[in-house]
Amino acid sequence: METFLLISLGAVLGANLRYWVGGWVAERLGAQFPFGTLMINLTGSLVLGFFLTLATQRFLIDPRLRVFFTIGFLGSYTTFSTYTYESVVLMTTGHWVMGSLNLLGSALLGGVAAGLGVWLGRLV
């Protein structure tokens, strides 16, 4: 039951941050391209790579905190299903280049962000 509650609490916080970041980015960059989702995916990848590197290679972090943060918070914060849906919508409405850029950009840049997070985690 404790694990369930930790995941749930993290998910509430992650979902609310996702909502706030998505809106904040859309206000600044517009909503024609899903920049908010891209930003969320990149920051989520960066933070996950950084945190898990610290948690598994550098410090002894309580497994409950890992569950709360990785499964609950970041699992709710990151938006893989949203980004794929938005990409498909862009492509099916004639915006093939933008849809493809979103798919490739999130995947490739997300990989770079996760790698950067791992690198930063190893520096600490």
Side-chain angles (χ1 to χ4, degrees):
M1 186 62 151
E2 178 185 35
T3 300
F4 177 79
L5 292 173
L6 288 168
I7 291 170
S8 297
L9 177 60
V12 166
L13 297 172
N16 280 283
L17 183 61
R18 172 183 165 179
Y19 174 77
W20 182 82
V21 169
W24 185 83
V25 171
E27 285 177 11
R28 280 145 187 81
L29 300 178
Q32 263 190 328
F33 184 83
F35 288 110
T37 303
L38 179 62
M39 179 64 65
I40 290 163
N41 285 335
L42 296 179
T43 57
S45 296
L46 173 71
V47 171
L48 183 64
F50 181 74
F51 179 79
L52 283 178
T53 299
L54 292 181
T56 61
Q57 298 177 19
R58 308 287 277 169
F59 302 108
L60 203 53
I61 294 180
D62 188 321
R64 293 173 295 188
L65 178 59
R66 288 175 28 193
V67 165
F68 164 81
F69 193 68
T70 59
I71 297 171
F73 182 79
L74 288 175
S76 180
Y77 173 72
T78 56
T79 56
F80 185 81
S81 59
T82 302
Y83 116 84
T84 54
Y85 172 77
E86 289 172 342
S87 299
V88 168
V89 167
L90 284 169
M91 290 187 283
T92 60
T93 58
H95 304 304
W96 283 95
V97 172
M98 287 175 53
S100 298
L101 283 173
N102 194 45
L103 276 175
L104 295 173
S106 285
L108 294 174
L109 294 174
V112 169
L116 178 61
V118 169
W119 179 74
L120 289 171
R122 290 180 178 162
L123 284 179
V124 175

